[in-house]
Amino acid sequence: MSRILFTIVIAFMGLPGPGPTPPSSPLSAEQIVAHYVEALGGKEKLQGLNSIYEEGVAVLPSGLEVKARKWRVYDRLYRMELDYGESHIKLVATPGRAWTINPSTGGEAKAITGEDLKALRVEIDPAGPLADYSAKGFKVENAGVDTVNGEPCYKVKVSCPSNHSITYSIDRKDYHLLKEVRRGGGILCGGQLGGPWNGNPGDAVTIEYGDYKSGPGGYILPYSISVSGIGAPIIIQKVEINSSVDVDGLSRATAK
């Protein structure tokens, strides 16, 4: 169960999107990322993305239903929740502090500090890790090519500040993000957050995205997220963009 929940947490984090037909000449990593950002509507549109809320359900092979919810409010809040049976996981970060509640904490809020807090700050951005990547301390490099479900892709490796890397496979035709592979342990950029959903150093988690649809605000989003090792996709059932969010309430360690 710990590995399954860890991979679901990772899968429920990004904001992939589509884009224009790419040029025929080879592209640098920076150019690929620039096209990806343009695919999401461009830098100006992303700057208007103040918040995003998503919720979905994964039905595991055992029949267990895992409900997932996530909030991002630009420069203010990241909150993720997983509910599975009688157990619950909450993970919350603001620019200044972070905390988690999960079975290993006995239901009590446990502060997240140090490198883990630094890693979580990256997630307080509805546009995702590739938007303004250099300002977040990320480095990108061209990692060659890939094929995902028959679709030719560019591969871009993103190195995070905390010994964590993410390799993105981006569709060469329309710049959908079709796959990502995360390495380094922890759920975010090297963070070792503890709990039953934590990964081990060196673990690789592969996530594939599909069923792209036009969502609120004209953003094209994946409504199916498949994670290696669980055999069941997360089906996104609800998305809200730039809606009213109770940041103060959701950031309290006692918030429900």
Side-chain angles (χ1 to χ4, degrees), residues 181-215:
V181 179
R182 296 195 175 214
R183 297 180 183 274
I187 66 166
L188 301 165
C189 296
Q192 293 291 339
L193 302 181
W197 36 275
N198 185 45
N200 297 312
D203 282 353
V205 177
T206 300
I207 307 154
E208 294 189 5
Y209 300 93
D211 192 20
Y212 280 84
K213 301 176 184 177
S214 179

XYZ file of all heavy atoms in Angstrom, residues 181-215:
247
model
N 9.107 10.702 -15.826
C 9.778 9.742 -14.951
C 10.494 10.534 -13.869
O 11.358 11.362 -14.168
C 10.785 8.870 -15.719
C 11.478 7.895 -14.769
C 10.086 8.105 -16.847
N 10.133 10.290 -12.626
C 10.730 11.001 -11.491
C 11.695 10.076 -10.760
O 11.384 8.923 -10.489
C 9.640 11.492 -10.532
C 8.708 12.517 -11.169
C 7.892 13.244 -10.121
N 7.086 14.293 -10.741
C 6.811 15.455 -10.150
N 7.294 15.718 -8.961
N 6.063 16.348 -10.776
N 12.854 10.640 -10.419
C 13.882 9.887 -9.694
C 14.406 10.715 -8.532
O 14.413 11.933 -8.588
C 15.057 9.537 -10.617
C 14.692 8.631 -11.787
C 15.904 8.339 -12.656
N 15.551 7.542 -13.808
C 15.479 6.211 -13.812
N 15.781 5.545 -12.708
N 15.138 5.556 -14.895
N 14.863 10.005 -7.470
C 15.542 10.701 -6.398
C 14.975 10.450 -5.019
O 15.551 10.875 -4.029
N 13.828 9.763 -4.927
C 13.247 9.512 -3.609
C 12.441 10.696 -3.129
O 12.639 11.839 -3.541
N 11.518 10.463 -2.210
C 10.634 11.524 -1.759
C 9.596 11.833 -2.809
O 9.617 11.327 -3.915
N 8.653 12.683 -2.478
C 7.589 12.967 -3.425
C 7.855 14.200 -4.258
O 7.207 14.415 -5.258
C 6.233 13.101 -2.723
C 6.205 14.318 -1.812
C 5.890 11.861 -1.962
C 4.817 14.679 -1.363
N 8.787 15.061 -3.841
C 9.031 16.315 -4.546
C 10.510 16.639 -4.539
O 11.108 16.757 -3.491
C 8.298 17.482 -3.863
C 6.792 17.407 -3.731
C 6.340 18.445 -2.725
C 6.140 17.668 -5.056
N 11.110 16.824 -5.646
C 12.450 17.410 -5.749
C 13.377 16.970 -4.630
O 14.067 17.777 -4.011
C 12.358 18.925 -5.787
S 11.501 19.526 -7.237
N 13.370 15.702 -4.298
C 14.302 15.184 -3.307
C 13.804 15.194 -1.886
O 14.499 14.738 -0.983
N 12.624 15.747 -1.623
C 12.154 15.834 -0.253
C 11.830 14.476 0.336
O 11.112 13.691 -0.254
N 12.354 14.156 1.520
C 12.037 12.911 2.216
C 11.026 13.242 3.306
O 11.373 13.667 4.391
C 13.308 12.305 2.822
C 14.297 11.819 1.785
C 13.801 10.598 1.042
O 12.935 9.872 1.516
N 14.349 10.361 -0.134
N 9.743 13.087 2.997
C 8.708 13.585 3.881
C 8.222 12.560 4.889
O 7.470 12.882 5.788
C 7.513 14.099 3.059
C 7.864 15.209 2.073
C 6.611 15.645 1.332
C 8.486 16.389 2.777
N 8.638 11.312 4.745
C 8.208 10.308 5.699
C 6.765 9.878 5.494
O 6.056 10.398 4.661
N 6.326 8.922 6.270
C 4.947 8.452 6.146
C 4.863 7.246 5.240
O 5.808 6.872 4.567
N 3.701 6.612 5.181
C 3.547 5.362 4.442
C 3.575 5.547 2.944
O 3.610 4.580 2.214
C 2.155 4.878 4.896
C 1.423 6.130 5.226
C 2.458 7.034 5.833
N 3.564 6.806 2.456
C 3.528 7.060 1.028
C 4.861 7.587 0.532
O 4.979 8.082 -0.564
C 2.414 8.054 0.717
C 2.263 9.092 1.774
C 1.543 8.979 2.930
C 2.869 10.376 1.815
N 1.653 10.120 3.679
C 2.449 10.989 3.017
C 3.699 11.070 0.965
C 2.856 12.271 3.385
C 4.098 12.344 1.328
C 3.677 12.926 2.528
N 5.917 7.523 1.338
C 7.228 8.034 0.940
C 7.974 7.034 0.076
O 7.872 5.832 0.265
C 8.053 8.338 2.198
C 9.382 8.987 1.858
O 9.436 9.893 1.051
N 10.427 8.489 2.470
N 8.754 7.525 -0.899
C 9.546 6.665 -1.750
C 10.926 6.430 -1.176
O 11.299 6.978 -0.148
N 11.713 5.587 -1.820
C 13.076 5.309 -1.409
C 14.046 5.963 -2.367
O 13.758 6.104 -3.553
C 13.319 3.791 -1.393
C 12.445 3.088 -0.381
O 12.346 3.512 0.764
N 11.799 2.011 -0.811
N 15.232 6.390 -1.875
C 16.210 6.986 -2.771
C 16.515 6.054 -3.938
O 16.707 4.854 -3.773
C 17.427 7.158 -1.857
C 16.852 7.280 -0.481
C 15.667 6.354 -0.481
N 16.536 6.613 -5.126
C 16.813 5.819 -6.311
C 15.576 5.275 -6.986
O 15.645 4.768 -8.100
N 14.439 5.322 -6.311
C 13.197 4.861 -6.929
C 12.878 5.691 -8.168
O 13.130 6.887 -8.215
C 12.027 4.978 -5.955
C 12.015 3.858 -4.923
O 12.823 2.940 -5.056
O 11.194 3.939 -3.989
N 12.319 5.060 -9.164
C 11.825 5.771 -10.345
C 10.325 5.525 -10.448
O 9.861 4.398 -10.320
C 12.536 5.279 -11.598
N 9.577 6.582 -10.651
C 8.129 6.492 -10.812
C 7.773 7.012 -12.196
O 8.166 8.124 -12.568
C 7.390 7.306 -9.737
C 5.893 7.241 -9.971
C 7.735 6.789 -8.348
N 7.061 6.214 -12.970
C 6.645 6.597 -14.320
C 5.162 6.921 -14.323
O 4.350 6.160 -13.789
C 6.927 5.464 -15.323
O 8.334 5.187 -15.338
C 6.480 5.860 -16.730
N 4.819 8.051 -14.919
C 3.445 8.520 -14.971
C 3.106 8.838 -16.420
O 3.880 9.514 -17.098
C 3.250 9.785 -14.105
C 3.750 9.556 -12.679
C 1.791 10.209 -14.090
C 4.178 10.801 -11.976
N 1.966 8.350 -16.895
C 1.511 8.652 -18.243
C 0.193 9.418 -18.176
O -0.641 9.154 -17.314
C 1.348 7.371 -19.067
C 2.675 6.663 -19.331
C 2.546 5.528 -20.326
O 1.442 5.340 -20.894
O 3.548 4.828 -20.538
N 0.055 10.369 -19.111
C -1.110 11.249 -19.136
C -1.911 11.019 -20.411
O -1.347 10.819 -21.484
C -0.674 12.709 -19.069
C 0.116 13.054 -17.821
C 1.504 13.001 -17.812
C -0.530 13.438 -16.654
C 2.228 13.315 -16.676
C 0.181 13.754 -15.514
C 1.563 13.694 -15.526
O 2.274 14.001 -14.391
N -3.234 11.090 -20.299
C -4.080 10.904 -21.470
C -5.451 11.523 -21.281
O -5.724 12.198 -20.289
N -6.320 11.265 -22.258
C -7.685 11.779 -22.266
C -7.701 13.295 -22.075
O -8.367 13.833 -21.186
C -8.523 11.104 -21.181
C -10.018 11.385 -21.350
O -10.431 11.755 -22.476
O -10.769 11.255 -20.362
N -6.957 13.998 -22.933
C -6.892 15.457 -22.854
C -8.215 16.078 -23.289
O -8.805 15.684 -24.288
C -5.753 15.984 -23.722
C -4.401 15.879 -23.062
C -3.667 14.692 -23.121
C -3.866 16.948 -22.367
C -2.438 14.588 -22.506
C -2.628 16.851 -21.752
C -1.919 15.677 -21.821
O -0.704 15.576 -21.205
N -8.644 17.061 -22.511
C -9.882 17.777 -22.808
C -9.698 19.255 -22.492
O -8.804 19.628 -21.723
C -11.042 17.241 -21.962
C -11.356 15.767 -22.135
C -12.450 15.338 -21.171
C -12.722 13.844 -21.244
N -13.746 13.427 -20.259
N -10.564 20.071 -23.073
C -10.569 21.491 -22.751
C -11.283 21.687 -21.425
O -12.437 21.297 -21.251
C -11.275 22.291 -23.850
O -11.307 23.665 -23.534
N -10.574 22.283 -20.473
C -11.142 22.522 -19.160
C -11.497 23.981 -18.966
O -11.510 24.776 -19.917
